[in-house]
Amino acid sequence: MFQLATEIPAAILARTLGIHTDVAVAWQRLSAGDWANYAAEVSRRSRKAPAP
């Protein structure tokens, strides 16, 4: 769970696992996760995708 908390935003983690957002935020803080890295990765992926 802590690995996920380092890789995705707390809101998505909470929704995916069916837990309260506060719990996901706490896991993220404990695991020193930074969801900005996730957002940056998604942004890079979307730029690489071919146009439809």
Side-chain angles (χ1 to χ4, degrees), residues 7-30:
E7 296 178 1
I8 63 174
I12 294 174
L13 180 65
R15 186 177 304 149
T16 302
L17 298 178
I19 61 175
H20 194 276
T21 306
D22 291 344
V23 174
V25 168
W27 286 358
Q28 195 170 54
R29 287 183 182 148
L30 289 170

Side-chain angles (χ1 to χ4, degrees), residues 25-48:
V25 168
W27 286 358
Q28 195 170 54
R29 287 183 182 148
L30 289 170
S31 64
D34 180 3
W35 74 268
N37 291 334
Y38 172 83
E41 177 61 28
V42 169
S43 176
R44 281 191 294 275
R45 279 188 262 156
S46 65
R47 282 189 240 146
K48 292 178 185 176

